[in-house]
Amino acid sequence: DTGVSQNPRHKITKRGQNVTFRCDPISEHNRLYWYRQTLGQGPEFLTYFQNEAQLEKSRLLSDRFSAERPKGSFSTLEIQRTEQGDSAMYLCASSLGQGISGANVLTFGAGSRLTVL
Amino acid sequence: GQQVMQIPQYQHVQEGEDFTTYCNSSTTLSNIQWYKQRPGGHPVFLIQLVKSGEVKKQKRLTFQFGEAKKNSSLHITATQTTDVGTYFCAGTRDSGAGSYQLTFGKGTKLSVIP
């Protein structure tokens, strides 16, 4: 499989629990993005990595959210002390960055749907 | 922060009619991309526009990037039921600082009545 892989696909958890999502990007892609999407809305940027470096993080992102990309390969997104408002689809995307105006086309994974009860 | 707005939010058309969605950014963009998300699916890349005033065509789809690089449009000629989905524009701010954050609009949901 050469696409972007995310797991788990679905996660139901109780409020206050921690959850972790994993993303395996396309192997030759050096940039990895996390987005959150709720019903009827566009993907909302959370953070992105270039190789292992986390270069940008949304100001809207709570301190309960943390993302890592050790060794510049797969990435994890952890949400601590989940709240009902965290319920959403968490999308991972990767791209082969080639400069400022070069191709930065995102290939999305199927997403991880989080439901917080 | 950068905002990307799309109109309309919803569009219902009879099969065979044309469809247009418009995208406006609060800041000048270095490039704009369009994605399509089918119901229950994830966004899939359609096209990227980089140059001021650029027009690109893909079969029945025509994409335009405004002269000021702050707006864009997607026009579909003679819609088909396979065009159903939500169309998102996404822009990268032209900050000169090499930011690669892609900001998405809220999308236009297209329904096609057979």
Side-chain angles (χ1 to χ4, degrees):
Chain A
D1 185 11
T2 57
V4 177
S5 176
Q6 291 188 248
N7 65 79
R9 292 291 309 278
H10 302 274
K11 178 72 176 178
I12 299 173
T13 190
K14 292 183 179 178
R15 188 177 54 179
Q17 298 294 304
N18 299 342
V19 297
T20 300
F21 300 116
R22 175 178 170 128
C23 173
D24 287 90
I26 293 172
S27 57
E28 60 265 30
H29 284 185
N30 59 349
R31 292 191 191 135
L32 186 148
Y33 295 75
W34 284 100
Y35 283 84
R36 176 171 60 191
Q37 188 176 29
T38 53
L39 198 62
Q41 301 296 311
E44 176 192 14
F45 172 79
L46 296 179
T47 188
Y48 91 89
F49 294 82
Q50 178 139 330
N51 300 313
E52 66 275 10
Q54 187 173 17
L55 295 188
E56 287 191 46
K57 190 175 174 181
S58 169
R59 286 176 227 151
L60 303 174
L61 205 58
S62 157
D63 289 344
R64 297 183 295 105
F65 288 70
S66 62
E68 293 183 343
R69 194 185 181 195
K71 302 179 183 177
S73 55
F74 73 91
S75 176
T76 58
L77 175 69
E78 181 184 17
I79 308 173
Q80 296 181 326
R81 305 181 302 282
T82 53
E83 301 172 357
Q84 288 184 327
D86 296 332
S87 296
M89 177 73 83
Y90 289 85
L91 293 166
C92 175
S94 67
S95 74
L96 181 61
Q98 292 178 334
I100 294 175
S101 60
N104 193 37
V105 172
L106 301 190
T107 301
F108 282 88
S112 293
R113 182 170 294 285
L114 173 65
T115 301
V116 181
L117 302 176
Chain B
Q2 180 186 9
Q3 288 187 321
V4 176
M5 293 146 286
Q6 272 186 266
I7 56 169
Q9 191 174 356
Y10 302 96
Q11 186 80 57
H12 304 273
V13 299
Q14 203 75 35
E15 188 173 18
E17 291 182 340
D18 293 354
F19 159 76
T20 304
T21 174
Y22 300 92
C23 178
N24 286 284
S25 169
S26 58
T27 59
T28 303
L29 302 171
S30 62
N31 63 75
I32 195 154
Q33 298 176 15
W34 286 90
Y35 290 78
K36 177 182 179 181
Q37 186 171 24
R38 294 182 185 274
H42 54 274
V44 174
F45 173 78
L46 293 177
I47 207 158
Q48 175 171 269
L49 304 170
V50 178
K51 299 176 183 175
S52 168
E54 189 170 14
V55 178
K56 285 189 176 180
K57 291 191 176 185
Q58 285 181 352
K59 297 181 181 178
R60 296 178 294 106
L61 278 62
T62 302
F63 303 84
Q64 290 187 310
F65 200 8
E67 294 289 340
K69 300 183 75 173
K70 293 181 76 172
N71 57 70
S72 181
S73 65
L74 157 60
H75 179 81
I76 302 178
T77 304
T79 54
Q80 300 175 358
T81 54
T82 53
D83 295 325
V84 163
T86 302
Y87 292 85
F88 295 100
C89 63
T92 302
R93 186 174 58 189
D94 188 7
S95 66
S99 170
Y100 303 110
Q101 179 179 328
L102 200 59
T103 301
F104 281 76
K106 290 189 174 182
T108 296
K109 186 174 182 179
L110 173 64
S111 300
V112 179
I113 305 163

